[in-house]
Amino acid sequence: MKPKVYAAMTISKEVENFLSEHCELRMWREGGRVPDEVLFEEISNVEGLYTSGSASSQIDEALLERAPHLKVVSNVSVGYNNFDIEALRKRNVIGTHTPHVLNETVADLAFGLILSTARRIVELDRFVKDGKWLSTTEYSDTFGQDVHKRTLGIIGMGRIGEAIAKRARFGFDMDILYHNRSRKPEAEAHYDAQYCELDVLLSKADFVLLMTPLTPQTYQLMGKEQFKLMKKSAIFINVSRGQTIDEQALIEALETGEIYGAGLDVFEQEPIDPSNPLLQMSTVVTVPHIGSATAKTEAAMAMRAAENLVAVLTGKDPLDPVYK
Ligand code: DGY
């Protein structure tokens, strides 16, 4: 008998076919986040759960106790802050995620945010389209900041951080500072990246880019004090998770001119509340958590998550476990 699996999201035909070859598959087809009452009902007899941070609620004790046969939870994302690792460990449930396949795609987006905030691309696109481009002489109103040859501070030098450093060093001739739990000798050798304490990075960087996973240690890593340390001309980029910063502190730093601007892929609340002051600021560029959102990369992540799930359910080691 094939193991039962619930996918808390709609999946492509290709992934559906692959999963169905190995599992008895049921799926949430309505779009959006699966309601808890549906999820709890569906997982009561499954061995595998296919999900992501935005597809279903937290994978915690309350959920796991409703899924007594569960062996594996496979996340379609590299971040797995939706997992309570201790709860999974206690119940011998394997958690998996999808690293590697999205590194370059997320790095592209991070760079897009750097460029669009520094050169005011979104704001000036609106300016042109609103018919405000009436004179070619008063163009100092359109001045932005250079990106090339400036200093990029990367907080969280993991695989994606390194992909960003590569672009910055070789594409834009930037100096790289980084702060990380541990030193990265290879990044230092390849990209001439210089390790420094967080305070030093914040005070020296022209662009501060947050790329750290969300953990209890990184929760609100950037707060009032940290934004104060940044240069007034500096731009803050967040491609990690909304909760790694104190969003109110960021709003105040922008409102009071403590920093110049921000490029944000992630927010405290997602989807963001339309009344959030960040949405009214011309120096802030916002995108709806699309770090990995290209068709090719999303397909690769979806298949990798399916392979992780099937590996465990067919008695093999998962490809990408979140804990050992
Ligand atoms: C992930 O996969 O965790 C990222 O948020 C992609 O954008």
Side-chain angles (χ1 to χ4, degrees), residues 73-92:
V73 184
S74 179
N75 231 18
V76 189
S77 70
V78 66
Y80 50 88
N81 47 291
N82 57 322
F83 286 179
D84 177 339
I85 300 289
E86 278 321 301
L88 286 169
R89 219 189 262 279
K90 203 175 90 192
R91 291 178 176 265
N92 286 323

Side-chain angles (χ1 to χ4, degrees), residues 76-81 98 102 106 160 211 239-241 265-266 289-293 298 301:
V76 189
S77 70
V78 66
Y80 50 88
N81 47 291
T98 58
L102 77 179
V106 178
I160 300 174
M211 199 56 259
V239 200
S240 64
R241 286 291 182 267
D265 181 39
V266 289
H289 199 152
I290 53 159
S292 59
E298 288 289 330
M301 290 166 73

